[in-house]
């Protein structure tokens, strides 16, 4: 039989990240700025191994039977404590969901709220799964123009006038893919537009804890007086991506509905991974650990920026991340970016074409995402030397 | 702000399972036939503990970074091998998804295929999450009348004439909640209706490996010459529910779309739990293990049926499961089932009212689900003695 499928699920974007991965696999000396993995040396491997030993053997039966739908209570408690203490969020009237990474939330939120034709506003280049899951649910993933401070409020307002908006999806800290961080003033302006058009804000902050330069900027959630912010976080970048533990914090009423949808459509998650994260948080000095993570990321980011300054054409622009994992390289409009990409691949350097991150209506873009977390400092420097030389070839000095 | 939500996600069924759980918690001597957990003594705890030790310490970094979206390759291979060898499924043109239990598939399938108003046909009393997730996606979870052999083909055909049908959801083996198994002839009749109305069949078979009486009956998938069956299985009942590992096997084209939707909306699952299941399958004699599981389940089911014969009113009917975890007790129409339920609770015996499992349009029902896997044989006997006496009180000898 031919399974007749809704159009919404048959939409496919380009998979440039996988392409770079597959073409680079097994190629000797291939340097990839394409992989979005956290830095391996920042993962507290031994502590996590010990946590598994403790958690698995202390009460195995409790891990091997069905557990509570809402997940591990201790993990929820520790997560909430940190949101309140380190990020000044007010827990009153709010709820928390423990999820299969922040990634599961990118699905759960639109699955819960989207009706066909609803619009979701997001940066014109943003995280691929956030775009795809809105489209998969029949929503329109509307790309809003950005500047060096992130989404432009006037552009957002123009779009919101359609009256079809449901929410604004934002990665305010160290955005994926651009590395841009939105200043407080801009956050307040965006919040005002959300308020005016009664949109809610989905604040996706998996990188927030990894600031290695500049000043801490309050989250949207911390000044959310109107209860319109859902705040998503993750332990993927601070502890381990493979354990798949994230969380969503927001107004209890909507959190309850999302939790119920999660129960019905996804079921509970494994308890063992949640308990391992809780055990690690209970055991280590998390702030000291984060300082160490930040140090590693800063070192690698500095290597990228320094090598770029040394080797790249002055016609090419690179963002200066103050945290997170990504920088965004913009080429002059005259450059054939496909040809540039292929030239990099020919020289065994992998970067990601901006098309991978393009929301609906995004301009063509002349940019690439560079991730600096997986290669070593030596590889970063070498890779940027090669890439820098190519920028000069394509754009002039 | 008030989050405006689609009606589809605000629908709520009764939560009788949780009610019984919560009212029974901490009550001394409470015997629960309500919990749907596998029998604890059938879980190979020590083998799983050992598997964790091996998997966690042999290559921890590979577990702690992002892994392949499609999950652990060895687990997929072992799962496929078993489907082919033990269940005579033809792998040609088919694909496999590893999922967060079979529970995640109950969501993923309707999320992928349902358009508002689509009808899904299911037994009038069936697994709650299957009902809810269809409703949550804006579909109609249409309950079809059943007899002692399961769904009645003529009733299915009547419903399918609406032309709005998308698929048929079935638990052909040891159904949850009734314990009924559909004979081969009935399966063929249902398949013929599916074929006539171009419906696909979602065959949910988490209990299939736990047959402890009667003859093996071929799965729908094994005679699926028209490529219209999606077959779901799980390691929850055979190894461990808490590890959250299930799978979906079906036509490659639709499997690919569901996998893509899973990638976008749910992300990858933890690798560690998948590798633990693969390790266990690679290490133990799985068939011998299953024999042991079946022995435990048979012993408990026999205790239930024997005690029912000894103590219960002849006016009350109990299904005779040949596998799985559940039996279904039907009362005469004259009985006030709410009052009967409360009388049981007053005597510290927990059972689940049929309303918990009612699809759209299901009759009122005068039945209860009894799960015999968690209580000990002594508790089962004692619980049935109490319950039996109450059936006589309510219905006469
Ligand atoms: C912006 C953003 N949100 C969410 C995620 C998902 O992270 P995880 O599911 O590992 O928590 C990522 C991962 O790359 C991301 O970049
Ligand atoms: C019919 C049926 N399908 C699916 C499931 C989900 O099982 P799991 O997600 O643990 O594999 C259950 C569990 O009770 C069930 O009864």
């Amino acid at each position: 039989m031919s399974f007749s499928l809704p159009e919404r699920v048959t939409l496919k974007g380009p998979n440039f990240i996988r392409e770079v991965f597959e073409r680079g696999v097994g190629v000797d000396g291939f340097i990839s700025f394409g992989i979005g993995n956290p830095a391996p040396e920042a993962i507290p491997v031994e502590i996590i191994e010990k946590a598994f030993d403790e958690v698995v053997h202390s009460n195995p039966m409790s891990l091997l039977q069905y557990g509570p739908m809402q997940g591990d209570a201790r993990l929820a408690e520790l997560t909430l404590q940190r949101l309140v203490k380190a990020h000044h969020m007010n827990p009153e009237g709010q709820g928390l969901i423990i999820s299969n990474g922040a990634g599961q939330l990118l699905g759960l939120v639109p699955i819960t709220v989207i009706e066909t034709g609803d619009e979701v506003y997001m940066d014109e280049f943003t995280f691929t799964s956030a775009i795809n899951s809105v489209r998969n649910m029949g929503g329109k993933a509307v790309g809003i123009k950005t500047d060096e401070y992130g989404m432009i409020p006037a552009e957002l307002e123009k779009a919101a006038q359609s009256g079809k908006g449901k929410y604004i999806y934002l990665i305010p800290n160290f955005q994926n893919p651009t590395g841009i961080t939105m200043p407080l003033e801009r956050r307040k302006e965006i919040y005002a537009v959300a308020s005016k058009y009664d949109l809610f804000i989905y604040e996706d902050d998996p990188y927030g804890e990894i600031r290695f330069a500049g000043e801490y900027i309050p989250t949207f959630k911390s000044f959310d007086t109107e209860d319109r912010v859902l705040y998503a976080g993750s332990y993927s970048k601070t502890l381990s991506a493979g354990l798949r533990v994230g969380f969503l914090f927001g107004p209890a009423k909507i959190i309850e509905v999302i939790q119920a949808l999660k129960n019905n459509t996804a079921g509970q998650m494994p308890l063992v991974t949640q308990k391992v994260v809780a055990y690690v948080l209970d055991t280590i000095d998390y702030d000291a650990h984060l300082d160490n993570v930040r140090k590693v990321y800063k070192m690698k980011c500095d290597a990228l920026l320094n090598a770029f300054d040394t080797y790249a054409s002055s016609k090419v622009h690179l963002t200066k991340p103050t945290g997170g994992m990504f920088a965004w390289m913009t080429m002059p409009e005259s450059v054939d970016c496909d040809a540039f990409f292929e030239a990099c691949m020919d020289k065994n350097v992998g970067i990601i074409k901006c098309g991978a991150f393009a929301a609906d209506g995004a301009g063509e873009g002349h940019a690439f995402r560079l991730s600096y977390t997986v290669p070593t400092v030596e590889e970063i420097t070498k890779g940027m030397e090669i890439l820098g030389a190519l920028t000069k070839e394509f754009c002039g000095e």
Side-chain angles (χ1 to χ4, degrees), chain A:
Chain A
M1 75 175 291
S2 72
F3 287 79
S4 83
L5 290 168
E7 202 195 335
R8 60 180 170 83
V9 299
T10 59
L11 305 168
K12 259 192 208 150
N15 205 330
F16 293 139
I17 298 180
R18 169 169 289 181
E19 183 190 340
V20 169
F21 176 75
E22 282 173 358
R23 287 174 61 178
V25 143
V27 174
D28 216 37
F30 190 82
I31 297 172
S32 180
F33 297 109
I35 303 174
N37 277 6
E41 56 276 55
I43 302 176
V45 179
E46 274 144 53
I47 293 165
I48 296 175
E49 285 187 65
K50 176 145 184 302
F52 267 106
D53 292 342
E54 292 289 332
V55 166
V56 166
H57 299 296
S58 66
N59 185 359
M61 187 57 88
S62 74
L63 307 172
L64 300 183
Q65 283 283 17
Y66 290 114
M69 272 292 180
Q70 68 279 15
D72 184 64
R74 179 69 185 149
L75 176 62
E77 190 184 347
L78 290 165
T79 301
L80 192 60
Q81 272 173 18
R82 187 161 181 92
L83 292 179
V84 173
K85 282 193 197 151
H87 300 283
H88 315 293
M89 295 185 193
N90 180 358
E92 220 183 287
Q94 309 297 303
L96 185 84
I97 292 173
I98 301 289
S99 60
N100 186 60
Q104 184 179 26
L105 305 167
L106 293 173
L108 270 178
V109 172
I111 290 171
T112 307
V113 306
I114 291 282
E115 294 173 275
T116 308
D118 280 352
E119 294 178 352
V120 176
Y121 306 119
M122 48 184 79
D123 296 332
E124 62 176 337
F125 295 102
T126 191
F127 186 49
T128 316
S129 294
I131 303 168
N132 287 344
S133 53
V134 166
R135 286 178 180 161
N136 282 165
M137 292 312 298
K140 221 169 129 37
V142 181
I144 307 291
K145 284 232 170 315
T146 57
D147 61 18
E148 58 183 308
Y149 305 123
M151 187 179 282
I152 301 170
E155 296 286 336
L156 170 63
E157 177 145 18
K158 236 190 273 170
Q161 277 160 6
S162 73
K164 294 187 193 155
K166 198 84 179 203
Y167 64 93
I168 311 165
Y169 171 78
L170 291 166
I171 311 162
N173 290 318
F174 331 123
Q175 203 251 18
N176 182 1
T178 63
I180 284 175
T181 294
M182 190 183 278
L184 182 58
E185 205 187 336
R186 177 65 63 89
R187 295 184 191 204
K188 297 234 154 131
E189 286 165 26
I190 295 281
Y191 192 88
V193 179
S195 188
K196 183 167 170 189
Y197 292 90
D198 206 27
L199 306 165
F200 75 87
I201 294 172
Y202 178 165
E203 179 174 28
D204 193 14
D205 196 25
Y207 306 103
E209 300 276 22
I210 313 183
R211 172 179 286 282
F212 49 68
E215 297 241 316
Y216 178 83
I217 298 173
T219 61
F220 279 90
K221 189 64 199 163
S222 67
F223 59 82
D224 178 28
T225 50
E226 298 168 0
D227 252 1
R228 63 175 70 253
V229 179
L230 284 171
Y231 177 88
S234 175
Y235 292 103
S236 280
K237 322 294 170 169
T238 56
L239 289 176
S240 158
L243 294 177
R244 313 299 311 122
V245 179
F247 53 88
L248 188 69
F249 174 75
K253 268 194 195 154
I254 174 83
I255 286 287
E256 266 166 37
V257 178
I258 298 173
Q259 177 77 54
L261 200 100
K262 181 174 184 285
N263 298 349
N264 290 336
T265 64
Q268 55 200 273
M269 317 155 46
L271 267 182
V272 58
T273 43
Q274 299 177 63
K275 281 190 185 288
V276 162
V277 171
Y279 183 92
V280 171
L281 293 175
D282 263 329
T283 321
I284 63 169
D285 178 342
Y286 192 47
D287 284 303
H289 165 71
L290 289 176
D291 276 340
N292 182 49
V293 174
R294 292 173 192 129
K295 223 175 275 168
V296 172
Y297 281 53
K298 177 167 173 35
M299 182 183 68
K300 292 191 164 185
C301 184
D302 284 349
L304 185 89
L305 298 180
N306 289 337
F308 181 82
D309 281 349
T310 309
Y311 300 115
S313 159
S314 63
K315 309 272 173 17
V316 175
H317 179 262
L318 188 71
T319 55
K320 293 196 177 17
T322 50
M325 313 191 353
F326 309 107
W328 188 246
M329 185 174 76
T330 308
M331 318 284 287
E333 299 249 326
S334 57
V335 172
D336 177 342
C337 283
D338 286 336
F340 182 79
F341 169 77
E342 290 298 337
C344 291
M345 292 296 284
D346 282 349
K347 301 236 148 147
N348 284 347
V349 174
I351 54 179
I352 309 291
K353 290 192 269 188
C354 62
F357 312 99
D360 297 350
E364 217 196 289
H366 275 70
F368 295 91
R369 187 187 80 175
L370 276 63
S371 171
Y372 45 79
T373 45
V374 171
T376 62
V377 166
E378 292 66 42
E379 287 168 334
I380 291 171
T381 309
K382 189 167 164 219
M384 288 307 283
E385 185 176 348
I386 296 166
L387 193 138
L390 286 171
T391 61
K392 289 185 177 162
E393 217 174 272
F394 275 73
C395 320
E397 291 290 318

